[in-house]
Structures are given as structure tokens and as C-alpha cells.
Amino acid sequence: MKLVKKGDAILENVKNIHFIGIGGSGMCPLAEILHSKGYILTGSDNNESDPLKRIKNLGINVHMGHSAENVIGAELVVYSAAISKDNPELVKAAELGIPTMERCDLLGIITRKFDNVIGVSGTHGKTTVSSMITQTFLMNELDPTAVIGGRLPMINANGCAGNSENMVCEACEFVDTFLHLSPDKAVLLNIDNDHLDYFKTMDNLILSFHKFISMAKEVYLNGDDELCLKAAENINADVITFGLDSSNDYYAENIHPGKMGMCFKVCNSKGVLGELELSIPGKHNVYNALATVAVCDCAGISFEGIKNAIESFTGAGRRFERLGEFDGITLVDDYAHHPTEIEATLSAAKKLNHKNVIAVFQPFTFSRTALLKDEFIKALSIADTVILTPIMGSREINTYGISSEDIAAGLKNAICVDDFNGVVNAINEVAENGDIVITMGGGDIYKAAYMYRDLKK
């Protein structure tokens, strides 16, 4: 039995739950899970979206806009970190004495309701691997519940509510969110210098990952990553490693480019399990596939079943997501917002059959941009042309005096624009037949991609 934490009993004592921002990518799957368990839900949101349509189609009552009246009748109010403390629904809940709970706390409680929770962590690749594992479980009839950070095309959603004890959960390290979870199996893909505005030092970041994987009985670890190995020191769990080096429990041999992605043999201590031909580009996805193979092979899925699922996986939403081809120009959208991710995405694009690679980048947060400016310049220099939007500050104020022009100054062929209309105009000016245009960033740069796509349709 899992250790019950303080506050877990609340779901046993309530029936009516209200979600503030129910259409959010992180909120929607939790609502769907609770709905499947028989809870009576209501929700509110400011914006129409595909996740919100999915929620409405389940018959959940959704109010457009935030209003104090929306929480009347609720026995619990759930909100995300993006909701401000002066939100009228939160204020009214406090006045009425209705308990409130942040999304990460609810997700933690839900993970303690399942016997086989697979928590996927790491600086890069969490959404891809969570999606790959979920797809493999679904295609092999293991009926998982899943909470994913991006849209899985197979189900056109960020998660699903299954009827088994299997749960796949993306585990994000930001502000130690993943320490609210209770994984039975933990996957650690890599550790890189991100979120240092919160962690301050790499040692603190490594310690946080150490705490996360220490909660699990089984740990699936990138054995090629020295920081992952450091995080796994002195943990009391079965450790299964994956990587390119043959010293790992699962490793790749004979890696070479295929039509859409890398091809390679998958090996373990028993020998060659079989061959994989990925439908998503980049060497980093070899690691993602190996992590998936390790988890699913240990779950008892046949290699043939794993192979069929992985080879048919075309990427999660905003992970090298191909939006179409217009006048011979291929349009792709990607979530890459850290230099390591940008380098992986652009390097993968360079290996495809295109004339020029045009990167459209929206820097995300002033602190990350200031701290990693030189690394951003190095990664973006892989592209033939770079179009830069203003920095999306998100939760931050620009006390760093940093701007996109500072990145452009270090690049040979960069264009700075003021807004998404400027992005579309710049693409029209520089992109030619045979080029690939990739919009990248952790903010809302995808909107510029859709604007260009809709203009060309």
C-alpha cells in the first residue's frame, strides 16, 4: 500500500468539484479522470480550446469567464498555478469556507489511487516519452490512465481515463512539482541547466531529481548522462539503465538515418530484441525510444507490440509537429525553449531533405534568456535564418535588461520582429520552395504558425 499523505482523504469526502481553468492542458486530464470516477464536476475558463471542447463533450458544465457564483455548490475547488490569488472564484471559495487545492496536489492524490504509476521525469523529452509509453500501453490493451504535457495525436488529448491500475504521468521538476507525486516506477531521461531561477544551483536541481526517483521501487535511468547517475546515487530501488553505450541494460546499435527518423537495433543483456525505425527525427529520440522500450519490455509487452506502437508514433503536439506544406515550404511547430532542445530540433531538421532551415524563436522567460544567452546563440546558429520575437516574460518582470536583439547580435542572419504579424511577414520574405520553417518556444509562438498556415490555406 502507498503511504497516504495529509489531505488525501478529501476526495473520499466530496462529490461536487469545481475546476478553475478547466480547459488548461494540465487540468483537462485530471477533470476527465475524476469524471470517470463518478464525481460531479463544474468548471470555468476564459478561452475556448480543443481540451475545453473535450470537457464539454463529456457533459461537464463549463462557465465561460470567472465569476464568484461559479463555485456555489462546490465542495472542493481546484486551481492551477496560473490562477491568481485574487481570482473571484478563489476569493468566493474562501468566503464560503470551501476547501481549495492546487492542481499538483490533486495530481499527487490521484497517483496514490493507482498501483502502477509510471512517472516520467527529466529536463527534456518528458512529453514525448509519456506519449510513447501511453500509446504503447493503449495499443497493447493495458488500458492506462494518462496525464501528458502535450497532445497525443492517437487520442487527440493530453490524457485519458482508463480502467486498469496503470497510470502514466508526466512529472515536471519546476518548483519541485513532481515531489507531490507517488510514482511506483520513475523514468529519468536527462538533467540539464534549466529552472535555475528556482533551484539556484545544479546541485539543488540534481538533489530534487534524487528525491523524486527515490520515491519509486523501479528507476529507468539514462546511463549515458553523468548527472542522472549522480542523482541515482544511494537510492533504494531497482535501477534499469538505457542509452547508446553497450554498458546499459537497454542500448542501441547500428544507428543510421531512415526516411523520417533514426533506425537502430535495440539490444539488452539477452541480445538483439529487434529493430526500430522511428517516425520522428533526431538522435535525442533514440534515447526517448530506448526509455520507452525499457519500461514497456519490463511491463511484459512483446517487442513486436512495442515496435508497432513506437514506429507509428508521429510525435506529441508541439514536438516537431508537422503542420503542413505550403508553396513547397514545410511548416513545423516545436516546444523547444532551452538551448539543448533547440540544438536537437535544428540538428534533426538539418538532416532532413530541405534547402534551408528557418527558425522562428520566441524566448521564454527573461531569467532563462539572460542566463543562457550565449547558449541560445550557439544553438540558433545551426539554422540558416532566425526570426526572433520579443521575449515572453510569463511570470517574470524584466529586471535583467535582456531582449531578443541581444541574441540577434550574436547571429549572422537574424531578423527581429515586433509581433506575430511580423513573423508571418518575415516568413513570406525569406522562405522559399524547399525550405523548412520551425516555430519554437515554450510560450504561444504556435499561434504565429497557425496564422501563417491559415493565410496559406
Side-chain angles (χ1 to χ4, degrees):
M1 290 290 292
K2 290 187 179 180
L3 180 67
V4 176
K5 296 189 178 182
K6 184 179 178 182
D8 282 8
I10 193 166
L11 286 188
E12 310 297 330
N13 301 317
V14 302
K15 193 72 173 177
N16 297 280
I17 303 175
H18 179 75
F19 279 68
I20 306 176
I22 196 169
S25 61
M27 296 283 271
C28 176
L30 300 191
E32 187 169 345
I33 292 167
L34 292 185
H35 176 75
S36 74
K37 302 297 182 186
Y39 289 89
I40 300 169
L41 304 185
T42 59
S44 61
D45 212 293
N46 282 329
N47 302 301
E48 291 286 355
S49 64
D50 288 338
L52 194 63
K53 290 176 187 174
R54 183 177 176 92
I55 287 295
K56 289 179 177 179
N57 288 338
L58 291 173
I60 296 171
N61 183 24
V62 176
H63 306 278
M64 295 311 297
H66 299 303
S67 171
E69 289 72 27
N70 294 341
V71 303
I72 294 174
E75 297 168 287
L76 173 66
V77 172
V78 180
Y79 63 98
S80 71
I83 301 299
S84 62
K85 298 302 180 186
D86 61 353
N87 180 281
E89 297 179 14
L90 276 182
V91 172
K92 188 65 174 180
E95 288 177 4
L96 296 176
I98 302 171
T100 60
M101 178 179 292
E102 193 170 334
R103 172 198 176 272
C104 61
D105 293 309
L106 175 60
L107 178 57
I109 293 174
I110 291 173
T111 63
R112 288 183 282 282
K113 302 286 185 184
F114 291 82
D115 289 340
N116 183 35
V117 175
I118 302 164
V120 181
S121 72
T123 308
H124 317 295
K126 294 184 291 292
T127 298
T128 295
V129 174
S130 298
S131 298
M132 276 186 172
I133 294 172
T134 299
Q135 178 152 320
T136 305
F137 272 46
L138 285 169
M139 289 179 64
N140 288 276
E141 300 181 351
L142 294 185
D143 197 17
T145 292
V147 178
I148 308 169
R151 180 179 52 82
L152 174 59
M154 178 183 179
I155 56 176
N156 194 32
N158 288 62
C160 55
N163 291 306
S164 72
E165 289 297 326
N166 299 311
M167 181 179 186
V168 183
C169 182
E170 183 167 334
C172 181
E173 73 276 13
F174 179 61
V175 299
D176 285 322
T177 300
F178 59 2
L179 299 185
H180 293 264
L181 311 181
S182 293
D184 298 284
K185 300 175 182 177
V187 182
L188 179 49
L189 301 169
N190 43 64
I191 299 177
D192 207 347
N193 58 345
D194 202 7
H195 301 309
L196 293 185
D197 55 322
Y198 172 75
F199 289 106
K200 306 304 181 187
T201 68
M202 287 300 293
D203 284 342
N204 288 340
L205 177 60
I206 293 166
L207 177 60
S208 186
F209 279 107
H210 171 81
K211 289 177 180 177
F212 174 71
I213 64 177
S214 293
M215 293 190 285
K217 302 167 193 169
E218 292 178 20
V219 175
Y220 296 82
L221 189 77
N222 182 344
D224 294 349
D225 190 308
E226 291 182 8
L227 299 185
C228 287
L229 295 172
K230 186 175 180 181
E233 289 176 358
N234 301 316
I235 63 169
N236 185 24
D238 294 329
V239 176
I240 299 98
T241 59
F242 59 88
L244 305 189
D245 192 278
S246 60
S247 62
N248 290 292
D249 296 313
Y250 291 84
Y251 59 96
E253 284 187 344
N254 190 27
I255 302 172
H256 59 280
K259 184 178 180 182
M260 298 297 293
M262 293 294 185
C263 303
F264 54 95
K265 292 181 180 178
V266 179
C267 309
N268 66 4
S269 58
K270 299 175 185 176
V272 178
L273 292 178
E275 295 189 11
L276 286 179
E277 181 173 356
L278 303 184
S279 299
I280 46 177
K283 187 178 179 181
H284 58 292
N285 280 315
V286 176
Y287 280 97
N288 292 337
L290 287 170
T292 303
V293 170
V295 170
C296 295
D297 184 55
C298 291
I301 302 174
S302 69
F303 184 78
E304 192 63 29
I306 298 170
K307 175 183 172 71
N308 289 339
I310 290 180
E311 291 190 342
S312 63
F313 178 73
T314 56
R318 299 216 65 216
R319 272 66 179 179
F320 214 90
E321 183 178 7
R322 193 176 187 276
L323 300 182
E325 184 176 313
F326 310 96
D327 299 330
I329 299 164
T330 299
L331 181 64
V332 168
D333 181 49
D334 196 275
Y335 188 66
H337 59 284
H338 183 281
T340 301
E341 297 165 349
I342 292 169
E343 181 179 351
T345 296
L346 294 180
S347 296
K350 275 286 189 179
K351 290 174 181 165
L352 300 176
N353 189 26
H354 297 286
K355 277 200 311 186
N356 295 298
V357 174
I358 299 168
V360 181
F361 180 53
Q362 179 192 50
F364 189 64
T365 76
F366 301 113
S367 59
R368 181 187 285 117
T369 308
L371 181 66
L372 303 176
K373 184 193 76 173
D374 292 341
E375 289 86 346
F376 277 120
I377 291 170
K378 181 182 177 184
L380 288 166
S381 66
I382 296 170
D384 297 289
T385 302
V386 178
I387 300 168
L388 290 158
T389 75
I391 299 168
M392 185 173 189
S394 184
R395 57 191 175 271
E396 296 180 343
I397 297 171
N398 189 7
T399 58
Y400 305 86
I402 189 74
S403 70
S404 293
E405 283 75 11
D406 295 319
I407 296 175
L411 296 168
K412 290 183 179 178
N413 195 9
I415 303 166
C416 289
V417 298
D418 294 329
D419 52 29
F420 292 163
N421 284 322
V423 168
V424 173
N425 292 336
I427 294 173
N428 281 329
E429 286 179 17
V430 301
E432 299 177 348
N433 189 329
D435 291 350
I436 182 171
V437 175
I438 310 174
T439 52
M440 297 185 297
D444 60 353
I445 187 63
Y446 62 89
K447 293 178 181 176
Y450 294 156
M451 285 170 63
Y452 178 79
R453 181 192 65 180
D454 293 345
L455 179 69
K456 293 293 183 178
K457 273 187 173 180

